[in-house]
Every structure is written in structure tokens, then in C-alpha cells.
Amino acid sequence: MELLIEYMAKGFMTMLLISMPCVLVAAAVGLVVGILQAVTQVQEQTIAAAPKIIGVFLTIIILGVFYIKILTQYITEGVYMAFNIIPKMETYVLPADYYYHSRPFASEMKDAINPSSNKVKDIMQNPGKIPWVDRQEKSKYTPAYQGANPRPNLIETNKILGR
């Protein structure tokens, strides 16, 4: 758990490292423009916005490569942790065959159409006609038809068997 907290702290430091120069440039430009406005007694608030935008834009252009390097390093470290370090920690990982022996979401993954019902047969016999929905059936919940798992086709079977 401390590994993830440490990585989150690095994320906050990366965020500060990237945003701080832009914020400082905007504050410095705002201070200079404010002093110039006080000296000239021009109290127009829209005058300060354009130099700030230009200053922040130039900061992003000048330091953009540095920002990309920092973000690339941070993401590379995160991917390395996600695929190499955390899977080897037994406290965070389920066994590889967890879903082979159990079906944890089987009760939620039920289909509402039962193929043996008359509605499906009626729809198949009359294609193009939209069936009217019965209001009582619409609000009623019926469990799904539990059929066998489908078999792989010939191409999939050959791939499985290595032919």
C-alpha cells in the first residue's frame, strides 16, 4: 500500500513541477502590469489578461520538452509498477485461475430472453414486424435461459489444438 501512496505523492510533485512555472509567470506578469497600470493610472482590467496569456503560452512553448520528459518518465514508472512490481506482490493479486473455478458475476449476467418462449419464435417467423411489449411482462423479471457454453468453430478448434 505504501508503494501506491508513494507513487501518488510523486504524481502530486509532478503536477506541481509542471504547473508552478506557468503560475509564477502569470503572477509576475500580473504584478508588472499592475505596477504599470498604477503608474499610468489606467485602470482597465482587460489590459492585464493579454500579457498573462502570452507569458503563460511562451512558458509552455519553452518548457514543453521538459514537461513531456517529466510526464513520460512518470507514466513509464507507473506502467512498470503496474505490470512488473504489483503482480509479484501477493497481497494485491488474485490467483491466475480465479475465474476458471468460480463465476463471481454469474447471477448478474443473465439474459432476459428465454429462447423457448413463444415470443422469440413469433419474432423469428415474422421478421420485420415489431412486437408489441406487454406492460406487465416489461416490469417482470425472469431469469435467463441457462444453456451450455458454445463450442468453438473449426478455425478456433484448429488453433486450440495447434493444427
Side-chain angles (χ1 to χ4, degrees), residues 2-128:
E2 58 273 351
L3 181 70
L4 299 176
I5 293 173
E6 180 183 339
Y7 186 69
M8 189 172 61
K10 277 187 182 180
F12 284 124
M13 291 305 293
T14 302
M15 179 181 59
L16 285 173
L17 189 64
I18 289 174
S19 64
M20 193 57 66
C22 296
V23 170
L24 291 176
V25 166
V29 169
L31 180 66
V32 169
V33 170
I35 291 172
L36 288 174
Q37 282 181 335
V39 168
T40 60
Q41 294 185 351
V42 176
Q43 298 300 323
E44 183 64 31
Q45 292 184 1
T46 57
I47 293 174
K52 283 183 189 177
I53 292 172
I54 292 170
V56 170
F57 184 69
L58 288 175
T59 304
I60 291 173
I61 288 175
I62 292 169
L63 297 176
V65 176
F66 174 67
Y67 293 161
I68 290 173
K69 285 182 182 178
I70 290 174
L71 285 174
T72 304
Q73 180 182 3
Y74 179 70
I75 291 171
T76 304
E77 185 179 348
V79 169
Y80 176 78
M81 271 192 345
F83 291 108
N84 293 330
I85 295 176
I86 292 177
K88 294 177 183 171
M89 301 172 85
E90 293 185 14
T91 57
Y92 291 112
V93 182
L94 293 173
D97 59 349
Y98 176 73
Y99 290 108
Y100 183 73
H101 298 294
S102 67
R103 294 182 178 231
F105 303 109
S107 62
E108 288 90 359
M109 299 172 66
K110 291 185 178 178
D111 195 6
I113 298 176
N114 186 351
S116 64
S117 72
N118 292 332
K119 276 190 172 184
V120 174
K121 290 177 187 174
D122 192 37
I123 292 170
M124 296 300 284
Q125 289 173 355
N126 302 314

